[in-house]
Amino acid sequence: MAHEVEHAALNRYLESKGLKQTRQREAILEVFLEAVGHVTSEELFQRVRESHPSIGYTTVYRTMKLLCEAGLAHERNFEGGVTRYEIPHDHHDHLVCVRCGKIIEFECQMIESAQEDIAKRYHFQILRHRHELYGHCDACRKGG
Ligand SMILES: [Zn+2]
Ligand SMILES: [Zn+2]
């Protein structure tokens, strides 16, 4: 099976919570890992349905919460109110196109260290931060 490491991690997490591994949870994890970028549970549900028509939206939604708790998915709440999920990777921030919905990831060391300077100035301990820049992507700008 593809993504053995992730499936094993989910298994361990479910066991630790006294929950059972199910074919449905396996299938949802697999579809999530194959999806690219920042997906909503609705998008995942549409994809899961193609191969597993018996899986309902609620199961997808709840499984995504489990995957987040297990550290296999990262929840992002961008403007607009729809929760999106991405595969956890190195710290990054986002540019969000408000026209086509494209999400671009970026990393900027200057921003990261500027934040640390600001925190120091106010004797503030940063636990986390998010940067989301909203605007029009290159394609949308050119398309008028
Ligand atoms: Zn766009
Ligand atoms: Zn991201």
Side-chain angles (χ1 to χ4, degrees):
M1 197 196 306
H3 304 114
E4 271 175 51
V5 175
E6 289 85 353
H7 283 276
L10 177 60
N11 258 324
R12 276 198 305 277
Y13 178 77
L14 291 170
E15 263 174 35
S16 77
K17 294 282 157 187
L19 296 166
K20 267 189 301 179
Q21 180 60 287
T22 61
R23 292 178 67 110
Q24 298 190 328
R25 286 178 180 145
E26 293 272 1
I28 294 162
L29 173 60
E30 197 53 37
V31 167
F32 169 63
L33 294 172
E34 293 292 330
V36 187
H38 309 76
V39 288
T40 65
S41 41
E42 176 63 35
E43 285 163 358
L44 289 168
F45 169 59
Q46 298 299 340
R47 275 177 226 189
V48 167
R49 230 165 41 157
E50 290 167 17
S51 49
H52 297 75
S54 65
I55 298 182
Y57 174 77
T58 310
T59 305
V60 174
Y61 180 80
R62 287 193 187 137
T63 301
M64 290 316 296
K65 294 281 167 205
L66 277 177
L67 295 188
C68 288
E69 289 164 25
L72 292 164
H74 193 128
E75 189 179 301
R76 296 279 185 185
N77 293 289
F78 296 115
E79 256 178 33
V82 188
T83 299
R84 292 181 175 276
Y85 300 94
E86 67 177 325
I87 296 170
H89 56 289
D90 291 345
H91 175 78
H92 61 279
D93 294 302
H94 298 94
L95 305 171
V96 182
C97 177
V98 297
R99 251 187 223 173
C100 69
K102 182 175 182 174
I103 297 169
I104 302 161
E105 301 187 333
F106 73 91
E107 285 174 67
C108 175
Q109 205 39 60
M110 215 165 67
I111 291 177
E112 300 295 325
S113 49
Q115 289 175 145
E116 281 158 29
D117 292 346
I118 293 164
K120 239 180 237 155
R121 200 189 302 160
Y122 293 94
H123 306 286
F124 186 85
Q125 184 195 8
I126 301 173
L127 299 177
R128 56 184 167 271
H129 80 263
R130 25 190 263 198
H131 276 301
E132 289 153 18
L133 310 185
Y134 293 85
H136 296 150
C137 74
D138 195 39
C140 286
R141 290 179 64 197
K142 284 176 181 152

